[in-house]
Amino acid sequence: MCVNDKIGYVADYPIYGEAANINAFAIGAKMVNPRAKVYLAWCTMKDFDVDNFFKEKGITFISSQDSLTPENGQRKYGLYVDKNDEKKNIAVPIYHWGALYEELINSIFKGSWKIDDTPDKAINYWWGLSAGVIDVIYSNSLPTETTTLIELMKNAIAHGHFHPFTGPLTDQSGVVRCEQYNVLKPEEIMTMDWLSNNVVGTIPNIDELVDSAKAVVTLRGLDAANPDTSQSSLL
């Protein structure tokens, strides 16, 4: 749908998991269009206007925050198109928190609940499309062929027939991060601090961010954003 092969992506904090979000989007875009370039913009950078950045690049298709918030009544959420100062939402992920809590309770009843003796260690629960915790809704104005592809991909991921981080995966420097047919492990996904070779942009240093973002990045920031501090102990 994007005729100039340019897609915008708005990220907030360079923290654990954010590079995975960016790369998953970029990899998916490249699967649909091998020429696709994802232009990365960080909304927490100092003296940086995200809207002007995209406008100067001629970018009209943009992926932004996951949901509409009371503080921001505009339609800049999910994947949207911005043409002639008119914004039209295309798709957005949704999170079924009730399904997540149901899975937690069922795991307790089944005796599969993981008990960790370390009180300050967080436990990640990798429940997504397969558990009905995550879904994607999209506009009914999309072409039929596009919606068919979306449903095929959702079903393939949910049933374990396809993993988004399946190799070959190459970063911006040309380094192969995952060999062909291999799949990245959960820890490799959560801690990745590299960007896919079709992403245009970088991971900012903490000094490039606004003051309100620095506390978050100091606590959970990627090593690339906190070059003087190793964060590996947090995982």
Side-chain angles (χ1 to χ4, degrees):
M1 296 178 66
C2 186
V3 295
N4 65 359
D5 304 330
K6 296 180 179 180
I7 310 169
Y9 189 100
V10 181
D12 47 18
Y13 305 102
I15 58 177
Y16 283 113
E18 188 63 18
N21 292 337
I22 298 166
N23 288 336
F25 182 87
I27 292 167
K30 189 163 58 172
M31 288 179 63
V32 178
N33 176 5
R35 301 177 304 278
K37 297 291 184 182
V38 175
Y39 287 74
L40 180 58
W42 297 89
C43 63
T44 53
M45 287 188 65
K46 296 177 182 176
D47 305 319
F48 181 71
D49 191 312
V50 172
D51 292 333
N52 283 341
F53 173 76
F54 290 141
K55 187 172 294 184
E56 291 173 358
K57 300 292 184 182
I59 296 171
T60 55
F61 285 81
I62 302 165
S63 177
S64 189
Q65 62 187 29
D66 286 348
S67 61
L68 181 66
T69 59
E71 294 80 10
N72 183 10
Q74 299 184 23
R75 303 185 70 168
K76 299 179 182 178
Y77 66 92
L79 180 64
Y80 68 94
V81 59
D82 187 354
K83 289 184 178 179
N84 303 320
D85 294 326
E86 182 179 353
K87 298 170 182 62
K88 181 180 179 181
N89 296 100
I90 298 175
V92 65
I94 56 175
Y95 305 92
H96 298 295
W97 294 106
L100 173 64
Y101 298 139
E102 184 178 351
E103 288 288 344
L104 287 172
I105 293 172
N106 284 336
S107 68
I108 294 174
F109 288 153
K110 294 175 182 177
S112 59
W113 175 266
K114 179 180 179 181
I115 299 176
D116 198 302
D117 295 330
T118 309
D120 58 347
K121 183 178 180 181
I123 300 176
N124 289 316
Y125 297 95
W126 291 80
W127 290 327
L129 287 168
S130 60
V133 174
I134 299 175
D135 199 357
V136 178
I137 57 174
Y138 45 84
S139 171
N140 56 15
S141 65
L142 288 177
T144 302
E145 296 80 4
T146 301
T147 59
T148 299
L149 178 60
I150 293 172
E151 290 300 322
L152 282 171
M153 291 303 300
K154 284 169 55 177
N155 289 330
I157 294 173
H159 291 90
H161 301 314
F162 175 74
H163 192 289
F165 289 103
T166 300
L169 300 176
T170 307
D171 68 16
Q172 292 173 318
S173 301
V175 177
V176 177
R177 296 287 185 159
C178 184
E179 298 290 345
Q180 189 169 11
Y181 306 125
N182 289 347
V183 176
L184 291 183
K185 298 176 181 178
E187 183 178 356
E188 293 175 314
I189 296 172
M190 284 301 299
T191 59
M192 66 170 57
D193 59 355
W194 53 271
L195 298 174
S196 176
N197 60 359
N198 67 320
V199 174
V200 180
T202 60
I203 297 173
N205 186 286
I206 189 171
D207 295 329
E208 300 177 278
L209 305 176
V210 296
D211 291 340
S212 59
K214 291 181 178 179
V216 177
V217 177
T218 298
L219 179 63
R220 295 192 293 147
L222 296 168
D223 289 347
N226 277 310
D228 299 327
T229 306
S230 174
Q231 301 293 313
S232 58
S233 61
L234 295 178
L235 295 180

